[in-house]
Amino acid sequence: MGNKYNRQIRKAMNKNYSTAFEQVRRYIEAKARSANFFQRLKIALVFLFKKDFNVFL
């Protein structure tokens, strides 16, 4: 019974992580679409080197 419960918890956590990642990805994409070339370049460099999603929010 405990293994089934743990599996359900892991499944729910993974779903929350993937949902959060998808929301951040959509936000970054929308921000990049509305930006000019140099702003898009800055977004790409921040993502590549920092990988800190808080910069975008």
Side-chain angles (χ1 to χ4, degrees), residues 4-27:
K4 182 179 180 182
Y5 183 69
N6 288 338
R7 189 173 70 235
Q8 288 174 343
I9 290 173
R10 282 195 315 272
K11 191 175 180 181
M13 287 176 60
N14 287 338
K15 185 176 183 197
N16 288 341
Y17 284 136
S18 62
T19 302
F21 181 78
E22 182 65 25
Q23 288 175 346
V24 169
R25 189 194 62 77
R26 266 191 266 132
Y27 178 79

Side-chain angles (χ1 to χ4, degrees), residues 1 3 11 15-16 29 31-32 35 51 53 55-57:
M1 186 73 164
N3 289 336
K11 191 175 180 181
K15 185 176 183 197
N16 288 341
E29 183 180 350
K31 188 172 182 179
K51 294 194 178 175
F53 292 121
V55 172
F56 300 108
L57 304 178

Side-chain angles (χ1 to χ4, degrees), residues 2-3 10 18 30 32 34 37-38 40-44 47 57:
N3 289 336
R10 282 195 315 272
S18 62
S34 67
F37 174 76
F38 292 107
R40 279 184 272 174
L41 182 62
K42 180 182 175 189
I43 290 170
F47 178 72
L57 304 178

